[in-house]
Amino acid sequence: MTEELSHQQILRYSRHLLIPEVGLEGQRKLKSSSVLIVGTGGLGSPVALYLAAAGVGRIGLVDYDVVDSSNLQRQVIHGTSTIGKLKVESARDKLLDLNPDIQVDVFNEPFTSENALRIARDFDLILDGTDNFPTRYLTNDVAVFLGKPNVYASIYRFDGQVSVFYAKEGPCYRCLFPEPPPPGLVPSCAEGGVLGVLPGTIGTLQATEALKLLLGIGEPLIGKLLLYNALDMSFDFVKLKKNPNCRVCGPNADIKELIDYEEFCGVPSHDHEDDSAVSSHDISAKELSERVNASTSLSAKLLLLDVREPHELKISALPNAVNIPLGQLAGRLTELKSADDMVVFCKAGTRSTRALELLASAGFKKVKNLKGGINAWAKDVDTDLPIY
């Protein structure tokens, strides 16, 4: 049963009411609808803002991060005044300021196999605002098991993708990607960057698909993948078919319950570049500084290997470091000596960890990883360097 609108709400949504495809009945549908948004970052920001403005009656927000200044270039639901605040609380306050008539439920916890079904069960549809493969596969499987549409999107640098994965009417995410890519093959936005406006473009497309589904109008992107490139302002579409051998939504599906998605994907389900766990191969910025200061001939005793991209050196750099980008490292191992003591580093520790693994597999045994990367050096050793 749909809810009635007050006189104040009729005025608020008057531009919707003038559209025949929406009208009073459609606005009532939106008021009685609910949407779960997994992630309140780049994609979740515009999605949440526009669904709240449109009058979706109940919005759920799942996140467990806090607002950081590096978020504000693209995560427009947050602000300078909310730096250090829980993202779900920052987002909730913004949404209720935009539209106090809606209900905002916050889940300040990781979206995991243990809680995902409980969190998602009572919502009409799920919007995937995640940036990692474990949570992406988890969100898909939850949507399939609960019989709900999954409004999917992903972004990287200048490119974005949008689709609606709805196993009842078309393919699911696993139909398109049965297996995740090898760990480290696809860089995250934290590693490769993203044009600040891109998640706004893609997120509003997600919000559009959500509204179409809730209203039952138009032709949702079920069975289609929208591809967007900001540099040439192009929109392309790829037709998708249901995979009869899909392990989750196919007729002979063998995955009947949620699994360990971090193990399945071989990567953690978060985008924090520097994990709190300490490896025996790690060296802290302060420890490295002591080693550097103990020798007047650093280059002869210790090799600093910077595996960042060349344009990142213009932001910050360490003296005497050798730059070999991670993507080129396997083909340039002959430039390095396995007998040398070596410390490998990147921006914050993710790429250098993969570089260390590659070097170790090639027989390099005297290698350490600068924990936290050059950002840790800028924080703990040389505060004249910027953190990015």
Side-chain angles (χ1 to χ4, degrees):
M1 181 177 179
T2 55
E3 301 183 30
E4 294 299 322
L5 301 180
S6 68
H7 287 185
Q8 184 181 19
Q9 289 170 335
I10 287 175
L11 178 61
R12 174 184 283 268
Y13 305 121
S14 61
R15 300 305 187 271
H16 269 177
L17 306 186
L18 295 171
I19 304 174
E21 291 83 357
V22 182
L24 194 60
E25 181 182 353
Q27 195 62 49
R28 288 169 177 161
K29 285 183 180 178
L30 293 181
K31 186 177 180 181
S32 61
S33 296
S34 60
V35 175
L36 180 68
I37 303 172
V38 184
T40 56
L43 291 170
S45 290
V47 166
L49 287 169
Y50 275 101
L51 293 185
V56 173
R58 181 186 176 212
I59 296 175
L61 304 173
V62 184
D63 209 317
Y64 66 104
D65 203 357
V66 297
V67 180
D68 182 81
S69 60
S70 65
N71 302 146
L72 303 183
Q73 166 254 11
R74 64 203 177 281
Q75 299 181 19
V76 295
I77 203 168
H78 310 296
T80 302
S81 64
T82 63
I83 290 175
K85 190 173 183 177
L86 291 174
K87 282 188 175 180
V88 289
E89 294 183 357
S90 169
R92 177 187 59 195
D93 293 347
K94 182 72 172 182
L95 296 183
L96 292 177
D97 178 58
L98 179 63
N99 190 347
D101 292 336
I102 65 172
Q103 175 181 334
V104 181
D105 297 333
V106 298
F107 302 91
N108 180 40
E109 53 189 305
F111 199 57
T112 67
S113 299
E114 287 70 37
N115 63 16
L117 291 172
R118 167 181 57 82
I119 291 174
R121 181 170 285 111
D122 295 331
F123 290 89
D124 296 324
L125 59 86
I126 304 172
L127 276 91
D128 183 351
T130 64
D131 57 2
N132 63 84
F133 287 103
T135 313
R136 202 167 284 163
Y137 278 96
L138 168 62
T139 302
N140 174 80
D141 294 358
V142 167
V144 173
F145 294 155
L146 295 178
K148 302 179 187 294
N150 169 25
V151 185
Y152 155 85
S154 67
I155 52 175
Y156 179 69
R157 290 187 173 172
F158 302 101
D159 295 293
Q161 300 179 353
V162 185
S163 188
V164 175
F165 295 114
Y166 191 24
K168 285 185 177 181
E169 299 182 14
C172 77
Y173 180 77
R174 282 184 184 264
C175 290
L176 182 60
F177 302 109
E179 300 289 336
L185 181 64
V186 180
S188 69
C189 291
E191 296 173 343
V194 61
L195 185 68
V197 73
L198 178 67
T201 304
I202 300 302
T204 50
L205 291 173
Q206 274 187 292
T208 303
E209 290 300 298
L211 292 175
K212 286 160 56 181
L213 289 164
L214 295 173
L215 292 167
I217 62 175
E219 184 179 337
L221 288 171
I222 298 173
K224 290 187 291 185
L225 180 68
L226 181 152
L227 305 175
Y228 169 74
N229 179 269
L231 289 181
D232 56 18
M233 196 55 71
S234 64
F235 289 85
D236 295 305
F237 294 88
V238 177
K239 289 186 177 180
L240 307 177
K241 293 184 178 180
K242 201 172 184 69
N243 181 358
N245 298 315
C246 179
R247 298 185 61 194
V248 172
C249 76
N252 300 312
D254 61 342
I255 297 179
K256 304 292 186 180
E257 59 185 20
L258 301 180
I259 62 174
D260 185 332
Y261 293 89
E262 291 189 340
E263 180 181 2
F264 174 64
C265 296
V267 293
S269 56
H270 56 68
D271 66 345
H272 304 297
E273 291 182 291
D274 184 27
D275 194 84
S276 59
V278 178
S279 165
S280 61
H281 296 290
D282 285 337
I283 183 172
S284 71
K286 290 184 178 180
E287 289 172 330
L288 177 59
S289 176
E290 292 172 359
R291 288 192 60 180
V292 170
N293 293 333
S295 173
T296 57
S297 56
L298 170 63
S299 59
K301 293 182 176 296
L302 180 67
L303 173 68
L304 299 180
L305 177 62
D306 185 342
V307 295
R308 297 176 299 157
E309 295 300 311
H311 64 270
E312 292 178 79
L313 303 183
K314 297 179 181 179
I315 304 172
S316 62
L318 295 185
N320 302 313
V322 174
N323 177 229
I324 303 180
L326 177 61
Q328 301 177 20
L329 184 58
R332 296 176 61 180
L333 291 177
T334 55
E335 299 177 26
L336 304 172
K337 297 179 181 179
S338 60
D340 286 347
D341 283 322
M342 190 183 309
V343 174
V344 60
F345 69 93
C346 62
K347 172 191 169 187
T350 300
R351 283 171 285 177
S352 57
T353 298
R354 296 202 295 268
L356 185 145
E357 293 171 353
L358 190 156
L359 289 165
S361 67
F364 289 78
K365 301 184 182 301
K366 301 166 69 175
V367 184
K368 291 285 187 180
N369 173 48
L370 176 57
K371 184 171 178 60
I374 197 169
N375 277 351
W377 183 275
K379 177 183 176 183
D380 298 331
V381 178
D382 185 359
T383 56
D384 289 335
L385 287 179
I387 295 174
Y388 71 105

